[in-house]
Amino acid sequence: MDILGTSLRVCVDDLDAAVPVYERLANAEAVRFAQGPVAVAAVGPFFLMSGPEEHLEVLRKIAATLAVKDVDEAVADLTAVGAQILAGPKSTPIGRNLVARHPDGSVFEYVDRQEAGQ
């Protein structure tokens, strides 16, 4: 699997207040979308997330988001090393994702920019 980059996941109380800070730090414009009841802003290497605490509690357990060329390839490699697929693969507004627990217990999200069925 090719890991193309990583994004840090940051839970914030006020997304509107946080976005300009991270836009300035990353010198990038935010791309906003929703993932269920959670509002997300992708800003450079950061995923800012705001929403109900019970959802953020789950999201905080994911150490980072890893961009990969192909989520299906990631599933094969993760399974081969004994990782457990916790969620997905599924389509999102920006591609496909999955969440996996590595054999050491760490949890990561894997994303690609492919549409479902490619």
Side-chain angles (χ1 to χ4, degrees):
M1 138 180 52
D2 292 327
I3 297 176
L4 306 174
T6 60
S7 295
L8 303 170
R9 302 164 64 88
V10 182
C11 295
V12 298
D13 293 329
D14 184 342
L15 191 63
D16 291 330
V19 164
V21 172
Y22 284 87
E23 284 180 326
R24 174 76 184 258
L25 294 174
N27 194 28
E29 189 173 324
V31 176
R32 293 179 184 233
F33 58 95
Q35 193 168 24
V38 176
V40 181
V43 187
F46 302 100
F47 278 137
L48 308 177
M49 301 174 289
S50 184
E53 184 55 38
E54 61 270 14
H55 291 274
L56 295 179
E57 183 179 325
V58 172
L59 294 172
R60 283 186 185 101
K61 295 178 182 179
I62 301 172
T65 298
L66 305 172
V68 295
K69 183 177 178 182
D70 186 337
V71 162
D72 296 327
E73 184 181 327
V75 169
D77 288 342
L78 289 162
T79 303
V81 299
Q84 178 186 11
I85 306 302
L86 301 176
K90 68 177 183 175
S91 294
T92 73
I94 60 170
R96 300 178 303 157
N97 77 341
L98 69 89
V99 176
R101 180 181 296 118
H102 292 191
D104 65 4
S106 56
V107 178
F108 293 93
E109 176 185 35
Y110 291 82
V111 300
D112 67 23
R113 294 283 182 150
Q114 298 185 33
E115 294 180 23
Q118 280 191 344

